[in-house]
Amino acid sequence: MSLKVYINGEILPQEDAKISVFDHGLLYGDGVFEGLRAHNGRVFKLTKHIERLFESARAIFLEIPMTAEEIKEAIFTALRANNMKDSYIRLVVTRGVGKLGLEPRKCSNPQVIIITDTIQLYPPELYAKGIELVTVATVRNHPESVNPRIKCLNYMNNILAKMESINAGATEAIMLNKDGFVAECTGQNIFMVNGEELYTPHPNSGILKGITRDTVIDIAKGRGMKVMEDFLTRYDLYIAKECFLTGTAAQIVPAVKIDGRIVGNGKPGQLTQELLKEYRKLLANPEVSETFESLETGYSRP
Ligand code: PXG
């Protein structure tokens, strides 16, 4: 059975889910997006994702032709149309069709697209073994050019970094900002443990303020840990006891090698594993978790 895709209020078979070649989303990467996760008919941190979408859109002068509530409803419509309770959801808003010039004001009709696909996780062995990271030469976008806080459709910065890490034989890339401080990986935020404290780059280091990142910070603080949002150097990573990455698709992934240096004892760290367990507990129980949302109209309701 073919996947059904939501475009501007319509549910279409994936073969018919098409966007114009004149859409500035395609021509210039002019648009914004979100990646969300549904478990058992409920969507994790739905309000936070929708808020971030509207903030990204505001930053690029893109007026989304729907309210937050309408977008939430559309997500549940797309899930219902596919009879999907567990899904990785891609929510995209493009600038819409315009002229071949850049001029965004000549674009009419932003396209709201919702794709509900299956969840792509790393294989379980990677969580058990941990992954290898390398610092790459591609500098993360300068916040005063395209701020990485904006989740925009142009990911060339991240794709170039990802290619570098692949060419170097590592799983992921560590991207630094223009001052040489650690920013993030290509689609994940980075954390490290040193002493009894948890460290992650400051939101103004040139990063996307990940929703998984914020959830992990809350979990750690709930355990009484001190969490430092700081300006971190490669040296800080090299002397870390533990290191892990966070993201909606990846969840929490341990890193055991950074630029050839072994992290800790070369195995996923104790705290990393405990945080992953707590994060998965939060994900596994949507019915009782207040971090999940389903609408009155949601099919998960009897
Ligand atoms: N940094 C960047 C640059 C991202 O694109 C994250 C961090 C993590 O954010 P959340 O809110 O998911 O905790 C992202 C996530 C993928 C994928 O397949 C992920 C993202 C974008 C594209 C693909 O893992 N965004």
Side-chain angles (χ1 to χ4, degrees), residues 79-121:
L79 287 170
R80 270 199 296 275
N82 288 291
N83 202 17
M84 259 185 184
K85 293 195 164 209
D86 295 277
S87 169
Y88 178 77
I89 302 160
R90 179 59 54 91
L91 167 60
V92 181
V93 185
T94 73
R95 184 80 66 185
V97 168
K99 295 281 178 202
L100 286 182
L102 286 178
E103 176 63 279
R105 287 171 303 180
K106 291 205 176 126
C107 296
S108 56
N109 221 1
Q111 302 289 297
V112 180
I113 303 160
I114 301 166
I115 307 166
T116 52
D117 209 341
T118 43
I119 299 163
Q120 330 119 26
L121 281 179

Side-chain angles (χ1 to χ4, degrees), residues 107-170:
C107 296
S108 56
N109 221 1
Q111 302 289 297
V112 180
I113 303 160
I114 301 166
I115 307 166
T116 52
D117 209 341
T118 43
I119 299 163
Q120 330 119 26
L121 281 179
Y122 288 127
E125 310 88 75
L126 271 184
Y127 290 85
K129 268 180 32 200
I131 62 170
E132 178 174 354
L133 309 176
V134 285
T135 307
V136 296
T138 303
V139 169
R140 189 73 176 106
N141 283 339
H142 191 297
E144 297 308 327
S145 89
V146 181
N147 196 316
R149 295 277 295 266
I150 304 169
K151 202 161 163 62
C152 80
L153 287 181
N154 189 325
Y155 257 50
M156 192 47 67
N157 183 221
N158 314 55
I159 291 165
L160 289 174
K162 183 82 187 178
M163 285 310 305
E164 275 191 71
S165 66
I166 292 167
N167 289 341

Side-chain angles (χ1 to χ4, degrees), residues 33 35 49 52 88 90 120 140 151 155 158 184-189 208 210-213 246-249:
F33 77 103
H49 280 282
R52 190 170 66 182
Y88 178 77
R90 179 59 54 91
Q120 330 119 26
R140 189 73 176 106
K151 202 161 163 62
Y155 257 50
N158 314 55
E184 59 183 337
C185 295
T186 63
Q188 301 88 16
N189 292 111
L208 181 79
I211 288 166
T212 317
R213 169 191 186 275
T246 64
T248 298

Side-chain angles (χ1 to χ4, degrees), residues 21-72:
V21 293
F22 293 98
D23 193 304
H24 279 211
L26 172 71
L27 289 174
Y28 300 116
D30 188 357
V32 294
F33 77 103
E34 279 296 322
L36 308 86
R37 178 188 281 268
H39 275 284
N40 206 13
R42 290 173 173 234
V43 183
F44 188 64
K45 302 248 172 170
L46 178 57
T47 297
K48 290 265 182 244
H49 280 282
I50 305 288
E51 277 171 10
R52 190 170 66 182
L53 181 80
F54 275 85
E55 286 166 3
S56 295
R58 190 179 170 77
I60 68 160
F61 294 94
L62 173 62
E63 203 164 319
I64 299 177
M66 292 168 78
T67 64
E69 279 310 305
E70 284 168 345
I71 291 187
K72 286 184 183 180

Side-chain angles (χ1 to χ4, degrees), residues 10-25:
E10 273 192 277
I11 294 286
L12 301 162
Q14 71 178 63
E15 308 80 54
D16 301 329
K18 292 178 181 161
I19 295 289
S20 166
V21 293
F22 293 98
D23 193 304
H24 279 211

Side-chain angles (χ1 to χ4, degrees), residues 142-263:
H142 191 297
E144 297 308 327
S145 89
V146 181
N147 196 316
R149 295 277 295 266
I150 304 169
K151 202 161 163 62
C152 80
L153 287 181
N154 189 325
Y155 257 50
M156 192 47 67
N157 183 221
N158 314 55
I159 291 165
L160 289 174
K162 183 82 187 178
M163 285 310 305
E164 275 191 71
S165 66
I166 292 167
N167 289 341
T171 312
E172 250 309 322
I174 298 169
M175 301 184 77
L176 307 177
N177 66 22
K178 61 98 178 105
D179 295 319
F181 291 111
V182 176
E184 59 183 337
C185 295
T186 63
Q188 301 88 16
N189 292 111
I190 189 164
F191 282 80
M192 51 164 264
V193 181
N194 208 348
E196 299 307 308
E197 285 154 12
L198 187 60
Y199 293 82
T200 195
H202 189 277
N204 292 332
S205 300
I207 62 166
L208 181 79
K209 197 163 174 289
I211 288 166
T212 317
R213 169 191 186 275
D214 291 351
T215 306
V216 166
I217 290 175
D218 288 345
I219 293 172
K221 283 183 175 167
R223 293 165 59 103
M225 273 193 90
K226 204 161 159 200
V227 183
M228 313 289 280
E229 295 176 78
D230 206 345
F231 292 87
L232 304 174
T233 63
R234 283 193 298 156
Y235 170 79
D236 294 314
L237 291 178
Y238 296 159
I239 62 164
K241 277 202 314 206
E242 300 185 23
C243 178
F244 61 87
L245 312 184
T246 64
T248 298
Q251 302 184 344
I252 297 174
V253 190
V256 292
K257 208 176 199 189
I258 303 174
D259 294 341
R261 290 134 174 111
I262 305 290
V263 180

